[in-house]
Amino acid sequence: MFHVQTGEFADKPARYADLLLQLDGLLGTERDGLANLANAAALLAELLPALNWVGFYLVRDGALRLGPFQGRVACVHIALGRGVCGTAAAQRQTIVVPDVHAFPGHIACDAASRAEVVVPLLAGERLLGVLDLDSPQPGRFDADDARGLDAVAQLLVARSDWTRLAD
Ligand code: SME
Protein backbone atom coordinates (compact mmCIF):
# COMPACT_ATOMS: atom_id res chain seq x y z
CA MET A 1 0.00 0.00 0.00
CA PHE A 2 1.40 3.41 -0.97
CA HIS A 3 0.96 6.18 1.59
CA VAL A 4 0.65 9.68 0.15
CA GLN A 5 2.53 12.19 2.31
CA THR A 6 1.00 15.64 2.54
CA GLY A 7 3.07 18.52 3.88
CA GLU A 8 3.89 22.22 3.95
CA PHE A 9 6.35 23.65 1.44
CA ALA A 10 8.35 26.87 1.26
CA ASP A 11 7.52 27.38 -2.42
CA LYS A 12 6.07 25.71 -5.50
CA PRO A 13 9.35 24.22 -6.78
CA ALA A 14 9.79 22.44 -3.42
CA ARG A 15 6.19 21.16 -3.60
CA TYR A 16 6.71 19.82 -7.13
CA ALA A 17 10.06 18.22 -6.22
CA ASP A 18 8.26 16.30 -3.46
CA LEU A 19 5.32 15.46 -5.73
CA LEU A 20 7.67 14.06 -8.38
CA LEU A 21 9.40 11.81 -5.82
CA GLN A 22 6.03 10.53 -4.61
CA LEU A 23 4.87 9.92 -8.19
CA ASP A 24 8.09 8.01 -8.88
CA GLY A 25 7.42 5.81 -5.83
CA LEU A 26 3.74 5.39 -6.66
CA LEU A 27 4.44 4.23 -10.23
CA GLY A 28 7.15 1.84 -9.09
CA THR A 29 7.68 -0.75 -11.80
CA GLU A 30 4.07 -0.56 -13.06
CA ARG A 31 3.89 0.21 -16.80
CA ASP A 32 0.14 -0.03 -17.37
CA GLY A 33 -0.65 3.40 -18.84
CA LEU A 34 -4.31 3.50 -17.79
CA ALA A 35 -3.48 2.53 -14.20
CA ASN A 36 -0.62 5.05 -14.03
CA LEU A 37 -2.75 7.92 -15.35
CA ALA A 38 -5.56 7.06 -12.90
CA ASN A 39 -3.22 7.02 -9.90
CA ALA A 40 -1.41 10.16 -11.11
CA ALA A 41 -4.73 12.05 -11.29
CA ALA A 42 -5.54 10.97 -7.72
CA LEU A 43 -2.06 11.93 -6.46
CA LEU A 44 -2.18 15.37 -8.08
CA ALA A 45 -5.69 15.98 -6.69
CA GLU A 46 -4.47 15.10 -3.19
CA LEU A 47 -1.18 17.03 -3.23
CA LEU A 48 -1.93 20.21 -5.18
CA PRO A 49 -4.09 22.81 -3.42
CA ALA A 50 -7.04 24.72 -4.89
CA LEU A 51 -7.95 22.40 -7.78
CA ASN A 52 -11.48 21.51 -8.87
CA TRP A 53 -10.45 19.22 -11.74
CA VAL A 54 -7.31 17.33 -12.74
CA GLY A 55 -6.99 14.68 -15.38
CA PHE A 56 -6.02 13.55 -18.81
CA TYR A 57 -7.30 13.72 -22.36
CA LEU A 58 -5.79 11.17 -24.75
CA VAL A 59 -5.36 11.44 -28.51
CA ARG A 60 -7.69 8.82 -29.99
CA ASP A 61 -8.91 8.73 -33.59
CA GLY A 62 -7.26 12.10 -34.20
CA ALA A 63 -9.04 14.02 -31.42
CA LEU A 64 -8.76 14.37 -27.65
CA ARG A 65 -10.86 11.94 -25.67
CA LEU A 66 -11.51 12.02 -21.91
CA GLY A 67 -9.16 9.86 -19.85
CA PRO A 68 -8.69 9.25 -16.12
CA PHE A 69 -9.51 12.28 -13.94
CA GLN A 70 -10.63 13.56 -10.55
CA GLY A 71 -13.41 16.11 -10.39
CA ARG A 72 -16.83 16.69 -11.84
CA VAL A 73 -17.99 15.00 -15.04
CA ALA A 74 -16.35 16.53 -18.13
CA CYS A 75 -16.80 16.75 -21.89
CA VAL A 76 -15.66 13.59 -23.66
CA HIS A 77 -14.47 14.81 -27.08
CA ILE A 78 -12.32 17.88 -27.79
CA ALA A 79 -11.09 18.56 -31.32
CA LEU A 80 -7.44 19.50 -31.77
CA GLY A 81 -7.27 23.30 -31.80
CA ARG A 82 -10.43 23.73 -29.68
CA GLY A 83 -10.50 25.08 -26.12
CA VAL A 84 -7.42 25.28 -23.93
CA CYS A 85 -6.79 21.52 -24.17
CA GLY A 86 -7.11 21.35 -27.94
CA THR A 87 -4.94 24.44 -28.38
CA ALA A 88 -2.15 23.08 -26.15
CA ALA A 89 -2.36 19.77 -28.04
CA ALA A 90 -2.29 21.38 -31.50
CA GLN A 91 0.60 23.68 -30.54
CA ARG A 92 2.34 20.97 -28.49
CA GLN A 93 2.98 23.59 -25.86
CA THR A 94 2.02 24.16 -22.26
CA ILE A 95 -0.65 26.83 -21.85
CA VAL A 96 -1.22 28.70 -18.58
CA VAL A 97 -4.55 30.55 -18.46
CA PRO A 98 -4.82 32.91 -15.45
CA ASP A 99 -8.46 33.76 -16.27
CA VAL A 100 -10.45 31.31 -18.37
CA HIS A 101 -13.10 33.96 -19.08
CA ALA A 102 -10.46 35.84 -21.04
CA PHE A 103 -9.45 32.80 -23.17
CA PRO A 104 -11.42 32.79 -26.45
CA GLY A 105 -12.97 29.37 -27.03
CA HIS A 106 -12.46 28.08 -23.50
CA ILE A 107 -14.69 25.03 -22.97
CA ALA A 108 -16.48 25.33 -19.62
CA CYS A 109 -16.98 21.85 -18.12
CA ASP A 110 -17.37 23.13 -14.55
CA ALA A 111 -18.65 26.68 -14.10
CA ALA A 112 -16.48 26.97 -10.97
CA SER A 113 -13.24 26.84 -13.03
CA ARG A 114 -11.47 30.22 -13.21
CA ALA A 115 -7.86 29.27 -14.05
CA GLU A 116 -6.39 26.42 -16.08
CA VAL A 117 -3.07 24.88 -17.12
CA VAL A 118 -2.68 22.30 -19.87
CA VAL A 119 0.53 20.34 -20.53
CA PRO A 120 0.99 18.18 -23.64
CA LEU A 121 2.08 14.56 -23.21
CA LEU A 122 4.79 14.06 -25.82
CA ALA A 123 6.86 10.97 -26.59
CA GLY A 124 9.37 12.57 -28.94
CA GLU A 125 7.30 13.71 -31.92
CA ARG A 126 4.27 11.63 -30.92
CA LEU A 127 1.43 13.51 -29.19
CA LEU A 128 -0.22 11.15 -26.69
CA GLY A 129 -2.62 13.56 -25.00
CA VAL A 130 -2.69 16.36 -22.44
CA LEU A 131 -2.65 16.82 -18.67
CA ASP A 132 -5.31 19.38 -17.66
CA LEU A 133 -5.74 21.13 -14.30
CA ASP A 134 -8.51 23.56 -13.34
CA SER A 135 -8.82 25.82 -10.33
CA PRO A 136 -11.62 27.97 -8.95
CA GLN A 137 -8.95 30.55 -8.03
CA PRO A 138 -8.07 33.13 -10.73
CA GLY A 139 -4.30 33.25 -11.37
CA ARG A 140 -3.76 29.91 -9.57
CA PHE A 141 -1.18 28.63 -12.09
CA ASP A 142 2.13 30.20 -13.13
CA ALA A 143 5.48 29.29 -14.71
CA ASP A 144 6.47 27.21 -11.64
CA ASP A 145 3.34 25.07 -12.11
CA ALA A 146 4.08 24.75 -15.82
CA ARG A 147 7.63 23.53 -15.07
CA GLY A 148 6.53 21.15 -12.32
CA LEU A 149 3.69 19.67 -14.34
CA ASP A 150 5.91 19.31 -17.39
CA ALA A 151 8.21 17.12 -15.27
CA VAL A 152 5.17 15.11 -14.13
CA ALA A 153 4.11 14.62 -17.76
CA GLN A 154 7.61 13.53 -18.81
CA LEU A 155 7.84 11.00 -15.99
CA LEU A 156 4.45 9.52 -16.87
CA VAL A 157 5.31 9.30 -20.57
CA ALA A 158 8.65 7.61 -19.91
CA ARG A 159 7.33 5.14 -17.34
CA SER A 160 4.11 3.98 -19.04
CA ASP A 161 3.13 1.70 -21.88
CA TRP A 162 0.90 3.68 -24.27
CA THR A 163 -0.16 0.76 -26.47
CA ARG A 164 -3.92 0.95 -27.14
CA LEU A 165 -4.23 4.12 -25.07
CA ALA A 166 -3.38 6.72 -27.71
CA ASP A 167 -3.08 6.94 -31.52
N1 SME B 1 -11.57 23.73 -20.10
C1 SME B 1 -11.04 22.77 -21.03
C2 SME B 1 -11.98 21.61 -21.25
C3 SME B 1 -11.73 20.47 -20.36
S1 SME B 1 -12.30 20.71 -18.79
O1 SME B 1 -11.66 21.87 -18.17
C4 SME B 1 -12.10 19.37 -17.86
C5 SME B 1 -10.72 23.43 -22.35
O2 SME B 1 -11.07 24.59 -22.59
O3 SME B 1 -10.12 22.78 -23.20
Side-chain angles (χ1 to χ4, degrees):
M1 188 64 191
F2 186 87
H3 285 286
V4 177
Q5 305 285 328
T6 53
E8 299 291 316
F9 297 95
D11 53 23
K12 284 187 180 182
R15 181 183 292 281
Y16 279 105
D18 171 80
L19 190 157
L20 214 61
L21 278 176
Q22 294 205 56
L23 180 61
D24 177 51
L26 177 62
L27 298 180
T29 57
E30 182 59 62
R31 288 199 57 85
D32 185 301
L34 190 58
N36 286 348
L37 294 183
N39 256 343
L43 187 74
L44 291 168
E46 191 163 347
L47 293 183
L48 295 178
L51 304 183
N52 62 315
W53 200 92
V54 51
F56 299 89
Y57 280 88
L58 298 169
V59 178
R60 309 188 72 170
D61 301 324
L64 293 176
R65 192 155 344 143
L66 185 62
F69 70 94
Q70 300 265 313
R72 303 187 76 178
V73 295
C75 52
V76 175
H77 298 274
I78 299 177
L80 295 185
R82 293 232 24 243
V84 186
C85 290
T87 304
Q91 295 179 354
R92 294 166 180 246
Q93 276 184 356
T94 297
I95 298 183
V96 175
V97 182
D99 178 3
V100 296
H101 296 166
F103 188 95
H106 168 256
I107 302 164
C109 291
D110 181 344
S113 295
R114 290 300 312 278
E116 183 162 5
V117 56
V118 180
V119 179
L121 302 174
L122 291 164
E125 292 293 297
R126 183 181 171 206
L127 176 72
L128 302 165
V130 297
L131 166 60
D132 179 23
L133 288 83
D134 292 88
S135 171
Q137 202 174 292
R140 162 69 181 81
F141 306 110
D142 60 17
D144 283 335
D145 295 288
R147 267 190 292 277
L149 294 167
D150 188 52
V152 166
Q154 284 182 33
L155 187 67
L156 280 168
V157 168
R159 296 275 288 276
S160 305
D161 177 6
W162 295 87
T163 314
R164 296 195 305 278
L165 268 190
D167 287 357

